[in-house]
Amino acid sequence: MLLLECPYCGKRAESEFHCGGEAHIARPETPAELDDQAWAEYLYYRTNPKGLHAERWQHRHGCGRWFNALRDTVSDKVVETYKMGEPRPDASNANIPDPAKVRSA
Amino acid sequence: MLEVNLAKRAPAVFLAEQAGRGPIDIVLQPTMGRLSFRAKEAALEGRSEVSGLAVDGAINTRRENGDLAAMRLGPDEWMFLCDDGEVDNLAERIAEEMSGKAFSLVDVSHRDVTFEVSGAASDAVIASGSPLDLSLEAFPVGMATRTIFAKSDIVLARLSQTTWQVTCWRSFATYVQGYLADAAKDFAVA
Ligand SMILES: [Zn+2]
């Protein structure tokens, strides 16, 4: 069972949660002034990193709150979760497994 | 009124034969008044209670006060429980007390049904469909939380070491009761 740390409820099973895609994407203040390319980038273009990824998650079958999670897309390890509105934490000290080792394991 | 009629309607659940035979009791609770209350910290202005219902408890705890109970389901969300006939009075009192503040109060009495699951192995019956750690350390008496049970969204509350309340939406009641009854079969006396 995969456990996620809800900032309000603590560690709970992943089946109680729902993922809402990449975090920290601000809606443009004046959409009418954007050209098609800029609007398309806001709507569809994502960083899709190999490594740490900031994502929105909702504790849907729990407290119902949205929060953000820093997840390693290689190992699926959730390094940190934090409340909406808080800045992306500096996880440079996080113990991230070496992708090469994960792949060969 | 439609809402009143719905609230009085008997829940559409079947009475599983197995449920009453073993050491596990699965008992549909009488209709009760249920109010979903939402308010941010600023609107509560440091109140410890609203019309007799505690709002200062930790998230995922249940607090009783006579015939009233308050379950804090999230940082700004509570489920208030009262006697069936009291719900309109209670809603008016809360609305009066919170008047002028930003809050939401919705009568959801007709939406939910509650089963009480009790008996020595009741935790094993709940665990059959729950991903939670149900040990007393992780889920103490007085805890209440929204969670998932098999494929249904429920609110699970522990009233004593061996007494649980499982609350689900009315349309999920047959499924939830059937799942509980099926799990309880394992503990039935042959
Ligand atoms: Zn939560």
Side-chain angles (χ1 to χ4, degrees):
Chain A
M1 185 187 293
L2 199 61
L3 296 177
L4 273 174
E5 174 112 18
C6 169
Y8 302 97
C9 304
K11 282 195 168 62
R12 301 284 284 258
E14 188 224 353
S15 53
E16 292 187 350
F17 295 87
H18 167 76
C19 182
E22 187 167 356
H24 305 298
I25 295 172
R27 183 183 167 87
E29 294 279 351
T30 50
E33 290 169 18
L34 265 54
D35 62 18
D36 287 352
Q37 181 59 34
W39 185 246
E41 278 176 20
Y42 158 67
L43 282 184
Y44 303 116
Y45 284 56
R46 297 297 179 258
T47 51
N48 193 26
K50 183 177 181 180
L52 281 184
H53 189 221
E55 303 170 324
R56 301 180 300 173
W57 282 79
Q58 184 195 18
H59 194 188
R60 179 172 283 181
H61 304 289
C63 63
R65 297 302 84 206
W66 284 93
F67 60 91
N68 289 330
L70 215 49
R71 184 176 66 90
D72 185 343
T73 58
V74 177
S75 65
D76 206 24
K77 181 184 166 73
V78 174
V79 175
E80 201 165 338
T81 55
Y82 50 105
K83 290 178 182 175
M84 277 288 164
E86 291 176 1
R88 176 178 168 144
D90 171 25
S92 50
N93 296 323
N95 183 22
I96 306 295
D98 181 345
K101 282 180 189 156
V102 170
R103 266 202 310 279
S104 62
Chain B
M1 270 177 43
L2 176 65
E3 276 129 19
V4 172
N5 289 336
L6 279 171
K8 298 283 183 262
R9 195 178 68 179
V13 290
F14 68 96
L15 294 167
E17 280 177 36
Q18 299 87 351
R21 269 214 325 258
I24 311 286
D25 283 317
I26 301 162
V27 182
L28 177 66
Q29 298 300 288
T31 307
M32 57 181 104
R34 306 169 196 266
L35 294 170
S36 174
F37 177 70
R38 303 283 305 263
K40 301 266 189 216
E41 225 177 299
L44 290 170
E45 297 174 331
R47 279 182 175 79
S48 60
E49 48 98 21
V50 175
S51 299
L53 290 140
V55 290
D56 61 348
I59 296 172
N60 296 331
T61 59
R62 181 182 191 276
R63 298 268 294 274
E64 287 182 17
N65 176 16
D67 294 335
L68 304 173
M71 297 191 284
R72 187 169 188 182
L73 300 179
D76 58 5
E77 179 188 357
W78 287 263
M79 180 62 75
F80 291 159
L81 305 173
C82 66
D83 283 343
D84 186 25
E86 276 301 304
V87 66
D88 288 343
N89 281 336
L90 183 61
E92 270 171 38
R93 289 209 307 277
I94 294 169
E96 201 170 308
E97 185 174 340
M98 293 297 293
S99 153
K101 313 284 183 296
F103 73 102
S104 140
L105 186 68
V106 183
D107 182 350
V108 294
S109 306
H110 64 278
R111 188 191 69 183
D112 296 349
V113 296
T114 297
F115 297 100
E116 194 160 287
V117 182
S118 59
S122 54
D123 53 348
V125 171
I126 303 290
S128 70
S130 170
L132 297 175
D133 179 352
L134 302 176
S135 66
L136 270 173
E137 299 76 52
F139 205 118
V141 174
M143 181 167 168
T145 180
R146 196 183 288 119
T147 180
I148 200 154
F149 181 75
K151 291 182 182 176
S152 173
D153 188 282
I154 64 162
V155 172
L156 181 65
R158 188 174 213 159
L159 305 193
S160 81
Q161 186 170 352
T162 55
T163 311
W164 304 82
Q165 280 196 343
V166 175
T167 300
C168 62
W169 285 20
R170 179 177 296 275
S171 53
F172 288 83
T174 316
Y175 170 78
V176 168
Q177 189 192 28
Y179 198 101
L180 287 167
D182 201 45
K185 270 192 214 165
D186 288 348
F187 304 95
V189 180

